[in-house]
Amino acid sequence: MHTFLLRRLLWIVLATPLAACSPREDEQDAGGDKGEKRTQAEQALIGELRHAPGATVFIAHLSFSLRNYADLAGISYSVAPRPGSHSKPLAVSFDKSWLDRRGAWQSGSGRLELPVFGLYAAHANEVSLSASFRDGSTHACRATIPTTAYSGPAGVYAAPAINLARSPERVPGFDFVLIKNGLSSPVVIDTDGHMRWTGAALGDSFTSMFGGDTFFIGDQGQRVLYRMGLDGAYTAVPVADPKYTGFHHDLSPGKTGMLAELNALEGGVLRFESILAEIDANGKVLKEWDLGRIFSAYMRSKGDDPANFVREGLDWFHMNSAIYHAADNSLLVSSRENFVVKLDYDTGAIRWLFGDTGKHWYVNYPSLRALALKLEAGKAPIGQHSLSVTPDGQLLLFNNGLGSLNQPAGAPPGLTRGYSAPSRYAIDDRARTAREVWTYERGRDRGGEPLFSDICSSVYEATPGKYLVAYSSAAARTSARLLGVDSQGKLAFDFGYPAAICDTVFIAEQLAWSDLKLC
């Protein structure tokens, strides 16, 4: 109730009327024969466009009057690019069902209220708005929404070092980037380097994802899931199982819910970064995979003693990425300490392992060695992060190159390369082979010092042959770099930010906000 009253007060005190949508004098009378011939858009008499500040300068609340909400099919808007920008306009469409669910129509006042987000800070934003109706007619209007400079915990993103700017000739294949970070709510930038969204609350967004119209953010200190809307408002729900103590690393889409990496305390034993669960938006646990139990049971069944591999209470596994692969109903999970493991979604059975064969898991355990893929070309994953599967079924990951940090005393930690690179692999499940089919070694490509980002970091393919790469902990963990690069190694942009370990850029993913449809 307090939020509602505050919002109404903002409309009264701060709302700015705009004349761009006011109806013409000859449209004032919607009755009679003349009214019957009018389209639904004309009968709507849309006008009195107003805006009020949102949770941050990147968000505004927009409202306008109309007569026939029942005839409305949807609303869309776009934000004009700043002069000199090359990213596509941010464009959003809301269909009627979304507006109904969100209570956008205020029948008492005869006004429709909706969030407009993706605004530039310290800029007079030109917003084009269009209302569409069931008879196919439309009503278009424009608004100018001025904003102030951003001031908040995510200020580092407002002034990147532009090592290479976008140009009309350098097209990255995407226009908006979600940055998961340790400083603030999720941050969205465009490929010109401009900040375009962040929320006002929450101290970090390491464990987060965007789905539909919501940012989901897991609390690392407790079993709480936050749901933050595009207007910056959020709610919190607990994860239902009390054994969980908090989230870590990433969230990603699951088969029906979200894949959450969770710590747990059971029987006084800490299960650290080795449990994966699928949860829904209300915190209900749908399914769980305990990697300690899975590996222990398998190794015993093959005659190996798992005691010196699965070491509960210690960081023996270090799960940092997990994804669902619908094509074969499997899970791909990154164990930074060991390998990439493929599991059967339904049974949890281990299908294969892929990693550095100089490590403890391969050298000392025949049962695990039997599951290893044979690398036919390229380099194996070492300390990898951010798994994904490309449209043609290949495995993409960020190959950090840092050997294991938490192996048992005397156990081989594997190689440390001293350079990092995104890597793409073609995997033959039946032949149990893998080939590295693409990689990009920044620095080495120009005969210079290679970039080494030993932890965190990410790579994702936006469109075929176009990649977004994040070096989260470069320059001895003091710098983060965001690159758009293609399969030939040609850069579309290169942005730099000061960093402390992984705080500034933990993971960066492309967002399709040039055509976001909310339904």
Side-chain angles (χ1 to χ4, degrees):
M1 180 62 71
H2 293 295
T3 301
F4 175 78
L5 289 174
L6 178 60
R7 186 175 176 186
R8 299 306 303 167
L9 183 62
L10 282 172
W11 287 118
I12 295 169
V13 177
L14 298 175
T16 304
L18 301 166
C21 284
S22 296
R24 299 190 307 269
E25 289 184 5
D26 63 352
E27 293 177 339
Q28 295 296 326
D29 180 9
D33 293 339
K34 185 177 180 181
E36 291 173 0
K37 295 175 183 178
R38 288 177 176 169
T39 66
Q40 291 174 348
E42 290 171 330
Q43 294 175 46
L45 298 181
I46 292 174
E48 296 183 72
L49 198 68
R50 301 173 184 170
H51 69 82
T56 65
V57 298
F58 309 103
I59 304 163
H61 295 293
L62 195 70
S63 80
F64 55 85
S65 62
L66 78 162
R67 295 270 184 93
N68 54 343
Y69 176 72
D71 294 328
L72 189 70
I75 301 287
S76 62
Y77 77 85
S78 63
V79 181
R82 290 186 69 142
S85 296
H86 302 290
S87 300
K88 291 179 181 177
L90 185 144
V92 183
S93 59
F94 308 84
D95 77 4
K96 182 71 176 303
S97 61
W98 190 94
L99 297 171
D100 289 343
R101 285 198 316 276
R102 299 292 172 163
W105 173 241
Q106 307 296 312
S107 58
S109 62
R111 299 186 68 82
L112 186 69
E113 302 178 4
L114 67 156
V116 170
F117 54 90
L119 303 173
Y120 295 94
H123 183 65
N125 292 270
E126 297 296 328
V127 178
S128 298
L129 192 74
S130 178
S132 58
F133 293 82
R134 291 186 296 109
D135 65 356
S137 61
T138 60
H139 182 106
C141 55
R142 302 175 69 86
T144 300
I145 303 179
T147 56
T148 59
Y150 172 73
S151 177
V156 66
Y157 306 100
I162 307 295
N163 301 312
L164 180 68
R166 269 203 67 171
S167 73
E169 296 76 29
R170 291 190 287 270
V171 180
F174 55 97
D175 294 277
F176 298 93
V177 177
L178 164 63
I179 300 177
K180 307 178 185 185
N181 67 85
L183 304 174
S184 70
S185 303
V187 169
V188 178
I189 66 168
D190 62 28
T191 52
D192 295 291
H194 299 298
M195 276 187 79
R196 304 297 296 274
W197 193 92
T198 192
L202 305 183
D204 75 75
S205 52
F206 281 122
T207 303
S208 60
M209 62 171 275
F210 179 73
D213 62 356
T214 304
F215 291 94
F216 298 94
I217 306 158
D219 193 306
Q220 297 204 331
Q222 54 186 336
R223 55 182 180 91
V224 172
L225 178 70
Y226 301 101
R227 302 174 300 194
M228 180 172 281
L230 290 163
D231 61 358
Y234 72 95
T235 57
V237 295
V239 177
D241 193 329
K243 74 179 178 186
Y244 296 122
T245 60
F247 292 78
H248 64 89
H249 290 91
D250 203 11
L251 278 177
S252 66
K255 186 173 185 177
T256 58
M258 293 171 280
L259 294 178
E261 299 154 36
L262 293 154
N263 290 321
L265 186 64
E266 288 187 283
V269 177
L270 176 64
R271 301 192 184 280
F272 188 72
E273 300 193 359
S274 60
I275 293 182
L276 179 66
E278 186 161 14
I279 63 174
D280 69 13
N282 296 311
K284 181 181 178 181
V285 180
L286 307 175
K287 196 170 177 62
E288 181 191 89
W289 301 267
D290 183 324
L291 277 297
R293 290 191 171 101
I294 289 171
F295 274 91
S296 292
Y298 167 77
M299 293 171 74
R300 288 193 188 100
S301 74
K302 300 298 181 181
D304 274 342
D305 180 357
N308 205 34
F309 181 69
V310 177
R311 294 165 293 133
E312 298 292 11
L314 300 175
D315 191 14
W316 68 276
F317 193 81
H318 198 101
M319 184 187 306
N320 60 29
S321 179
I323 59 172
Y324 175 68
H325 185 36
D328 61 0
N329 195 39
S330 68
L331 298 168
L332 290 163
V333 181
S334 169
S335 166
R336 200 217 75 83
E337 284 297 290
N338 303 288
F339 37 56
V340 178
V341 52
K342 187 171 190 176
L343 302 175
D344 182 273
Y345 176 91
D346 292 323
T347 67
I350 306 170
R351 295 189 184 177
W352 50 249
L353 307 174
F354 183 36
D356 179 6
T357 56
K359 291 189 176 188
H360 176 51
W361 69 272
Y362 187 92
V363 172
N364 293 325
Y365 296 102
S367 62
L368 302 182
R369 191 159 56 242
L371 293 171
L373 297 180
K374 180 182 178 182
L375 182 64
E376 293 189 323
K379 56 185 178 292
I382 293 178
Q384 68 287 326
H385 284 75
S386 75
L387 309 182
S388 64
V389 176
T390 62
D392 59 358
Q394 296 181 343
L395 174 63
L396 183 65
L397 54 81
F398 190 91
N399 208 336
N400 294 76
L402 177 66
S404 296
L405 301 174
N406 292 294
Q407 299 289 13
L415 294 173
T416 290
R417 294 194 180 102
Y419 65 91
S420 303
S423 293
R424 180 171 178 152
Y425 299 93
I427 294 176
D428 187 326
D429 285 58
R430 290 187 177 181
R432 307 186 70 78
T433 60
R435 291 181 296 107
E436 188 181 41
V437 295
W438 175 79
T439 188
Y440 173 70
E441 297 175 12
R442 181 64 177 158
R444 286 191 170 196
D445 60 332
R446 299 183 177 184
E449 187 72 18
L451 270 179
F452 184 39
S453 184
D454 59 344
I455 56 174
C456 308
S457 310
S458 60
V459 58
Y460 293 96
E461 186 180 38
T463 53
K466 305 276 191 176
Y467 300 92
L468 169 63
V469 185
Y471 298 83
S472 302
S473 54
R477 302 184 180 178
T478 65
S479 173
R481 298 275 290 276
L482 284 179
L483 275 62
V485 64
D486 68 14
S487 57
Q488 305 303 311
K490 295 179 181 178
L491 288 179
F493 63 83
D494 179 354
F495 304 151
Y497 303 88
I501 309 181
C502 305
D503 277 3
T504 305
V505 180
F506 173 52
I507 288 174
E509 296 180 3
Q510 65 274 9
L511 283 179
W513 278 17
S514 59
D515 186 21
L516 179 62
K517 300 183 185 303
L518 302 180
C519 53

